[in-house]
Amino acid sequence: MVRPDGGRPEGRACSHADDLEPTPPPQSDVCLRCAARGRDERRLRICLACGHVGCSDSAPGAHATAHFESSGHPLVRSAEPGPQWAWCYVDEVYFQPAPSRRP
């Protein structure tokens, strides 16, 4: 579900949310490009199109964004513990989980 404010004050919508297939499993539990450089980055993002795992923009490599730029896969979700959220690089909106429905 897109946050009511779209993650931005002007309240943008996302044109990609309806195209989501079931989320593929993560390809790894670390950012492989960071690991190859000896870094143990924990601010990870999972690509919702293919399961690629990359580090966030606040990490030195920004490998999740690099994956988007090379693949065109627009949606990622946080792999960090705590509240779950997702981001669309193209439309620049945050997503939050839909509220659970109770009978």
Side-chain angles (χ1 to χ4, degrees):
M1 138 181 224
V2 178
R3 286 179 22 178
D5 67 358
R8 297 283 189 220
E10 62 271 12
R12 298 179 189 179
C14 177
S15 60
H16 305 95
D18 293 335
D19 298 335
L20 285 176
E21 299 292 325
T23 303
Q27 293 178 0
S28 65
D29 59 353
V30 298
C31 175
L32 296 176
R33 292 177 68 185
C34 282
R37 292 174 173 81
R39 293 193 299 257
D40 183 25
E41 184 54 55
R42 290 290 150 197
R43 295 168 288 182
L44 302 175
R45 310 294 178 250
I46 301 169
C47 175
L48 296 179
C50 70
H52 174 270
V53 175
C55 60
S56 74
D57 284 354
S58 59
H63 294 124
T65 298
H67 174 72
F68 158 67
E69 291 169 347
S70 67
S71 70
H73 297 160
L75 300 169
V76 295
R77 73 168 172 83
S78 173
E80 298 174 31
Q84 288 298 301
W85 55 266
W87 171 254
C88 178
Y89 286 105
V90 174
D91 296 313
E92 297 183 329
V93 294
Y94 284 102
F95 295 83
Q96 60 189 17
S100 52
R101 295 182 183 175
R102 297 189 182 219

